[in-house]
Each structure stands twice: as structure tokens, then as C-alpha cells.
Amino acid sequence: MMFLVTGSPQGSVISPIFFIILLADIDEWTQYAIIAGFADDNCATVTGDSTSEISNKLESDAHGILKFMASNKLLANDSKTTLMIFGKRRNLEPVKIRVGHAEIMEQETQKILGITISNDLKWNTHVQILKSKLLQRLYLIRHLRSLLPQHSLKLISDGLFNSQIRYGIPLFLRPRLNASDPTNSHLHELQVIHNEMVRSVAGVNRRDKVNMGKLRKTHKIMSINQMICQATAIETHKIIHHDSVPSLKSIFTERGSSSITTRTRTT
């Protein structure tokens, strides 16, 4: 029999509650940073007019976070600690900060909760990674086509392929709301791969020249653009009705003054 002096077993029901309680006051140990976290991923964000100011603030708050962790018998993992800087800069030399005994170098990209963020605030890297994942899954779906009935293949494709596209899609893709809207290059690239998945599920080839709109409608498969619209509508509903992002709810619900006279205004 093993006795735990501190901590709790990994995977136990009580562990997440303990972790939330443990980290609840971490922002009391920082002076400049805004701490944002989800599960066991935490980010410290500071602002400044120069890279030297940002570095000094981060190093100062890193010292406070290390003291917090030491007082709660936690260990910092420098191999999982990264640094990113956003904004215009005169000096293009990579920035580095010291956290304890470790030297943390600036990175151009960082994966946060499955989404690859770039310091130029563009989504090229994330989309390229996503395309690579989709092509691997498309290869598997094509091989399963001869082994599984169509309804089973569609179900597997939705969980294996479409789920990868849906994850975080309102972040990195902008929907086309009108036919006159310009086509986003990333949306087009992903739609081309998605079309190949639909053809595999339907059992047709590109040379058959089947209309993709009719093919998706027949098999009840949404396009990439429809996925964006659906995901955006769902997240907006959560914000307005369930306060999932309180800072955005006020933006969505605020109403400006209007000079239009309606029946409700006159009664």
C-alpha cells in the first residue's frame, strides 16, 4: 500500500478540484502579468513599450510565480515554458529571459490547447499543420472505403476528419456570408482536401466531375464555410446566454441609441 503525503493520484476525480484550488491565487504573486489559464495550461501576459521593459516585467513576475510554486510544493518545468512577443519591433534579435536557473528563448510559434499561435498573428502555420493532419486521415479513409459500408465510413469520417477542422475553426477562418465575398486562401485550401474526403465517402472520383454542392447535400455533409458559420453561431449563443466570455457579452448585447420610431417606442 502506498500513502501520498502531498498531492493526489493522476486521473482521480478529486485531482482537478485540488488543482483549481491550488492555483486560485497565483495572480496574487505577480505584479504586472495577467494570468489566464485553462486546465493545467497557464499564460502570463504583460505589455510594454520596448522588449527590454517586457523582459524585465516577465522576469520579475516569473520570480513571483516560482516563489508561489515553491510555497505550494510545485515544480516548474522549464522545457514547457515558452516566450512569445507580439507587436512591431525595431530590434529583430530574439529576446530571452531568465526564469530561475533556466534561460527561455523567444519563439515564433506556440501551440496552446491544440491551436498554433504565431507572433505575426497570422494562421499560416496552424493551417499547414492542420492540412498535414487531414491528408493523413484522408489516406486512411480511402483505404477504409473498400472495407466499410458507406454509412459507417461517413460516421468515421465525421469523427476522424471533420472533428479536426471544427476544432477552433472560428479563430483561424473567416466565413463567406455572400457570394460576392472574396474567398480566403486558407478556406479554399482546406475545402479542396475536404472535397476529396466527401468523394471518398460517396464512392466517386474526381474524374467523374460530380458537382460538390449536390454531393454534399445528398450525403448531408457540410462545407467548410458552413462549419465556420455553425461554429460561430454556437459560440455566439454561448456568450449571450451562458456568459462563456463575459467581456464579449456586453459588446454583443449593447444597443446604441436610435432615432427610428417604432410602435413599441410610441406605446
Side-chain angles (χ1 to χ4, degrees), residues 101-125:
H101 299 292
E103 193 174 69
I104 309 301
M105 296 293 298
E106 178 189 1
Q107 295 186 6
E108 294 182 354
T109 61
Q110 170 63 32
K111 189 176 181 180
I112 302 176
L113 299 174
I115 302 293
T116 302
I117 309 295
S118 301
N119 61 0
D120 59 3
L121 296 178
K122 296 181 180 179
W123 296 103
N124 299 335
T125 302

Side-chain angles (χ1 to χ4, degrees), residues 1 4 29 63 68-69 92 101 107 126 133 172 185 192 200 219 242 244:
M1 182 178 293
L4 291 175
W29 295 68
H63 180 67
F68 162 82
M69 298 184 72
L92 299 179
H101 299 292
Q107 295 186 6
H126 179 75
K133 291 180 180 179
F172 58 89
S185 59
V192 169
S200 296
H219 295 276
H242 302 288
S244 59

Side-chain angles (χ1 to χ4, degrees), residues 51-207:
T51 54
S52 59
E53 181 185 352
I54 291 173
S55 299
N56 292 334
K57 288 181 177 180
L58 285 174
E59 288 183 346
S60 174
D61 279 351
H63 180 67
I65 292 172
L66 290 177
K67 288 175 63 178
F68 162 82
M69 298 184 72
S71 67
N72 288 281
K73 299 182 180 181
L74 298 172
L75 295 176
N77 189 340
D78 58 89
S79 65
K80 293 185 177 181
T81 303
T82 57
L83 166 66
M84 288 186 68
I85 295 181
F86 304 92
K88 296 181 179 179
R89 295 162 56 180
R90 295 178 181 178
N91 186 7
L92 299 179
E93 288 293 323
V95 176
K96 57 184 177 182
I97 61 173
R98 182 160 290 279
V99 178
H101 299 292
E103 193 174 69
I104 309 301
M105 296 293 298
E106 178 189 1
Q107 295 186 6
E108 294 182 354
T109 61
Q110 170 63 32
K111 189 176 181 180
I112 302 176
L113 299 174
I115 302 293
T116 302
I117 309 295
S118 301
N119 61 0
D120 59 3
L121 296 178
K122 296 181 180 179
W123 296 103
N124 299 335
T125 302
H126 179 75
V127 172
Q128 291 303 315
I129 294 173
L130 177 58
K131 285 171 59 179
S132 178
K133 291 180 180 179
L134 294 177
L135 289 172
Q136 293 174 8
R137 285 160 173 74
L138 177 61
Y139 177 81
L140 178 60
I141 291 170
R142 283 172 170 169
H143 280 270
L144 290 174
R145 184 168 63 177
S146 60
L147 302 174
L148 297 175
Q150 190 176 84
H151 68 275
S152 297
L153 187 61
K154 179 187 173 184
L155 185 64
I156 291 174
S157 299
D158 191 56
L160 193 67
F161 192 95
N162 289 338
S163 62
Q164 292 289 322
I165 300 173
R166 290 195 191 98
Y167 184 74
I169 195 171
L171 287 174
F172 58 89
L173 287 181
R174 180 180 298 178
R176 292 185 68 208
L177 302 179
N178 298 291
S180 59
D181 291 347
T183 302
N184 182 279
S185 59
H186 292 328
L187 190 153
H188 175 72
E189 292 170 5
L190 292 174
Q191 188 61 64
V192 169
I193 302 175
H194 186 265
N195 288 347
E196 292 300 321
M197 183 277 291
V198 176
R199 292 188 184 99
S200 296
V201 170
V204 300
N205 297 309
R206 188 183 299 181
R207 63 175 177 271

